[in-house]
Each structure stands twice: as structure tokens, then as C-alpha cells.
Amino acid sequence: MLAEVISIGDELTSGQRLDTNSQWLSQRLGELGFRVVWHTTVADDLDANIAVFRTAVERADVVVASGGLGPTADDLTRDAVAAMLGVDLVLDEAVLERIRAMFAFFKRDMPEKNRVQAMFPAGTHVIPNPHGTAPGIAATIERADRAPSRLYCLPGVPAEMFEMFAASVAPELVPTDGSRRLLRHRVIKCFGVGESHLEQMLPDLIRRGREPSVGITVSQATISLRITASGASEEACLTQIAPTEETIRQCLGDIVFGESEDELEHAVARLLAAEQKSLATAELGTGGLVAERLREAPEAAPWFRGGYVAADAAMLSRMIPVEEELARLPAGEEDSSQARFVRAAALACRAETETDLALVVGELPRFDAANPEANRVWFAVATADGVTVKSAPTAGHPAILISRTAKQGLNMVRLLLLRGADPSANLSR
């Protein structure tokens, strides 16, 4: 069954406030087995609201709206629903007395303008609001040659909306004839290749009409594969998902680093804990972002010992004895001066912090169109077995460059831990 979520308010259409209600409602509807196909956001405009509701109930089996149920002149949901249904607003005396009682509890007289919150389109039903003055509206709209559409209007205050949906809306959406279908998702997180390359590695998985479906999204170089299955029970959905998940993991190998809300820092933290190894960092181009992300991963707390952050190589050399390590490196071992620097810095960082591993992220170069090879950032990880050095191109939008570079450093540590900290391991990803 298809669902639509409507969010109402000038503050949303103007961009002054982020619409998190639609996200939450879509998640809950998905858990109940509804496929949310439309998100609609509409301003506090009566004609626009009427048009949105008319369209929604015609195309969606379930419509859930939030916002516009307050007592002020720009709260238009009840008027829009009444106009859409072609009915008048009628006063519900029981609701009015309850609103008065709420004001009396706080030793206040009810303003006359709050009376409108007890007005409902004729023929609709009240959705109780235990902790607010804005009850919701429920309506069933008949459609020609199809099952009726069910409309639920809830207040925009998240805490009130959450409670009302759980107590009154969700129970109505669960069929009693045993025909309930659930939707369940499994999100697989990946890093190390581009979106198109990854899709080529998953033959026939990401195609329209496949069951279970596999969707692909990218956020700051992290790729998420969402497997979605429909079934009569949670177990049935998970049974459908399992073979597809196994195929993805087999095809992608260690490109997969986690699932659900995992980020690379969580994967690194788990590996550090499993291997009981400590880590320190020294960052130039990422300005401490690697350290910040590791500090945000609770699992990393016993194993991440801290890091150095410097604006340039000269400053880092004042913090740790990079020059001494450079002097010890055999001449000509690295063609690049940047590679030699990060190698020496990793050795110095590991020695100074007395950790098992030390990650160094080099400087981000200024873009040079005439010399593509110069547009690279260098990384090094020192372990008890030696130092691994690699570089990665810095092409890409500046908005994600620093974040992606931090992830590349974390991923280098992850792959070294997975592969036994072998300095000769292929870390091209």
C-alpha cells in the first residue's frame, strides 16, 4: 500500500527549519508495511493546502500530515481538510472542555482563539492529544473503484506527534485479517571505490523490480546499500534479505566496513579493540577531523590515545621529532618529498606516543591543473612491522574533500588491521 507524508508550515518551505517529522513518519510507516512514495511540504496557504490534500488522498492509501493545528490564523489544516471534503467545521464540546481544563490546570483562562482547536470537519474523528491543546483529525475518504484513503492530521510538535501516532494512528493501520505486510531494511556501508564502480561489482542486484530491492546512495564518499524486503513477518523479511546481503559481502569483500549507522571510525574502533592495539594520529590536511571522529566513537575510548594537529609540515616538526626520523631514512627510498615526510612523521608520532599504530595525514596540495600528479594527499601508518605509505588524488568538490580525506586515513588503518598490518598489503582503496 502506498503512503504520503505531508509537512505544513512556512518555516519549512522557507528553509528556516529542517523537516524531521517527515523522516520519522516515513520510518514508522515503513515499519508498518507501507511504501512511502511521496513527501509533500506546503506553506501556510489555504488554497495550496486544499490542493495538496486533494492530490494526496487521491493517489495514496494512507496520508499522514503534521502541522497547522494550532490556534493562530496561519494554522489552516482543519479548514483545508473541511474544504477538501466539502463540509463545515463543527464544535466538539468534549474537546473544548478538555482544552479549558488544561488551561485551568495551569491556573490560566483559555484564550478565545483556542476555541478553534475544538473545531473539526464534519464526519471526521478526533485523535486525542494527551499532552497538548491540538487534537488530531482522522478521516476516511471514499474513492471510486478503489479502497478508501485514510487521512491522519497530527500536530507539528514532535513529542506530541510521536505519542499520538503510536497510540492512535499505528493501531488503526495494522490489518486485523492477517494480511499485514511489513517492510524491513538492511543498510550495508561501503568505502573505497566510486558509486559506478561499485555498481559494476554487483551484477543484477541494483535493478528496478528486483525483490528484495537494493538501493544505492552516497554521502561524502561513503556508499550505503539499502536492501528492502516485504513480508508477512519480520522473520520472512530477514529471510529474503539474507542471501542478497551475503552476495553483496562476497562481491565487495573488505570494501564493506559496517552496517546501519556505522561510520569508518566505528569500524576502526572495533578492530583496535579486537586486536587490543592503540592508535595515535598526526594531521595536517584534515585539521584534527580524524581525531574528532575517533573521539566520537565510544568503542575507541580505550584505544585512541590522541593526536597532533598542525597547520603545516614545519609546525608538525616542532611538535614531534620528524627531522630526526627523516635523517635516518635511507636516501632515495621515496621519490616524493611528501612521501618521505609522512613516513618519518608516522615513525616519530608512534615513538612519541608509544602506541601500536600511528596514522599521519599529509597536507592537502593546492590544485595544479598543469601537474595532475601533484594533486595528491599522502598518508602513512607506522606499526611494529614498518611503515605503509600511500597517496590519493584530491580531485573532487571542496565541500567534501576534507571529510573524504579523513575517511581515507581511517580506511587505511582499517585495512591494515584487517590484513594483519602487513606494510606490503595492497591498500589502493
Side-chain angles (χ1 to χ4, degrees), residues 370-383:
N371 184 12
E373 280 303 308
N375 302 319
R376 304 186 72 82
V377 59
W378 288 85
F379 306 84
V381 177
T383 71

Side-chain angles (χ1 to χ4, degrees), residues 40-71:
T40 302
T41 306
V42 61
D44 296 316
D45 178 280
L46 183 58
D47 290 339
N49 274 251
I50 295 169
V52 162
F53 279 115
R54 280 179 176 158
T55 300
V57 298
E58 176 61 27
R59 66 188 179 186
D61 303 298
V62 171
V63 178
V64 183
S66 67
L69 291 174

Side-chain angles (χ1 to χ4, degrees), residues 332-351:
E333 183 175 339
E334 303 283 359
D335 293 332
S336 164
S337 60
Q338 294 98 325
R340 286 180 61 82
F341 180 85
V342 295
R343 177 183 290 274
L347 290 167
C349 181
R350 181 172 182 269

Side-chain angles (χ1 to χ4, degrees), residues 190 193 197-205 225 243-256 429:
C190 310
V193 296
H197 184 188
L198 184 140
E199 187 170 359
Q200 291 175 3
M201 299 172 72
L202 299 172
D204 202 40
L205 288 188
L225 295 169
T244 296
E245 179 179 356
E246 180 60 25
T247 298
I248 289 172
R249 292 183 180 275
Q250 288 181 357
C251 290
L252 300 185
D254 56 24
I255 292 174
V256 174
R429 297 195 184 110

Side-chain angles (χ1 to χ4, degrees), residues 118-428:
M119 303 288 289
F120 295 86
T124 63
H125 304 284
V126 176
I127 302 176
N129 183 349
H131 296 104
T133 62
I137 302 168
T140 300
I141 297 94
E142 297 296 331
R143 300 183 295 181
D145 303 323
R146 286 182 296 164
S149 177
R150 288 175 286 179
L151 170 65
Y152 301 92
C153 300
L154 302 172
V157 178
E160 295 177 15
M161 183 196 73
F162 298 162
E163 184 175 27
M164 293 165 68
F165 184 91
S168 299
V169 179
E172 285 195 11
L173 296 178
V174 178
T176 57
D177 60 0
S179 62
R180 180 185 183 188
R181 302 284 292 178
L182 301 180
L183 284 179
R184 289 295 180 266
H185 309 281
R186 177 69 53 80
V187 178
I188 308 298
K189 305 294 276 292
C190 310
F191 186 85
V193 296
E195 181 181 5
S196 58
H197 184 188
L198 184 140
E199 187 170 359
Q200 291 175 3
M201 299 172 72
L202 299 172
D204 202 40
L205 288 188
I206 305 174
R207 63 173 170 83
R208 295 185 183 279
R210 186 184 186 278
E211 292 291 341
S213 65
V214 180
I216 182 169
T217 58
V218 184
S219 176
Q220 297 190 342
T222 295
I223 298 176
S224 297
L225 295 169
R226 179 181 296 273
I227 310 169
T228 302
S230 172
S233 66
E234 179 116 4
E235 182 180 2
C237 292
L238 297 180
T239 298
Q240 287 186 60
I241 288 171
T244 296
E245 179 179 356
E246 180 60 25
T247 298
I248 289 172
R249 292 183 180 275
Q250 288 181 357
C251 290
L252 300 185
D254 56 24
I255 292 174
V256 174
F257 69 80
E259 58 187 55
S260 189
E261 300 301 315
D262 276 343
E263 298 295 346
L264 278 161
E265 55 267 26
H266 302 116
V268 169
R270 288 193 296 267
L271 288 167
L272 290 171
E275 298 292 327
Q276 295 193 318
K277 292 188 181 298
S278 55
L279 170 68
T281 58
E283 301 177 63
L284 299 174
T286 44
L289 185 56
V290 173
E292 178 184 345
R293 288 181 173 173
L294 285 168
R295 278 299 181 193
E296 289 176 350
E299 311 95 323
W303 311 105
F304 177 55
R305 300 295 169 78
Y308 302 93
V309 180
D312 53 37
M315 179 58 70
L316 185 61
S317 296
R318 295 190 188 100
M319 296 177 172
I320 55 178
V322 180
E323 296 301 326
E324 295 177 18
E325 295 294 344
L326 275 171
R328 296 190 187 102
L329 291 181
E333 183 175 339
E334 303 283 359
D335 293 332
S336 164
S337 60
Q338 294 98 325
R340 286 180 61 82
F341 180 85
V342 295
R343 177 183 290 274
L347 290 167
C349 181
R350 181 172 182 269
E352 286 294 295
T353 58
E354 298 182 347
T355 52
D356 297 300
L357 297 94
L359 165 68
V360 172
V361 180
E363 294 183 66
L364 292 175
R366 293 183 179 274
F367 181 74
D368 185 351
N371 184 12
E373 280 303 308
N375 302 319
R376 304 186 72 82
V377 59
W378 288 85
F379 306 84
V381 177
T383 71
D385 298 314
V387 184
T388 301
V389 177
K390 63 167 285 189
S391 68
T394 56
H397 197 284
I400 69 166
L401 180 57
I402 294 177
S403 176
R404 183 177 64 186
T405 302
K407 291 180 180 181
Q408 287 169 325
L410 287 165
N411 198 49
M412 186 175 177
V413 174
R414 179 181 73 91
L415 293 177
L416 277 170
L417 289 167
L418 280 175
R419 300 171 188 180
D422 177 5
S424 65
N426 177 13
L427 299 177
S428 59

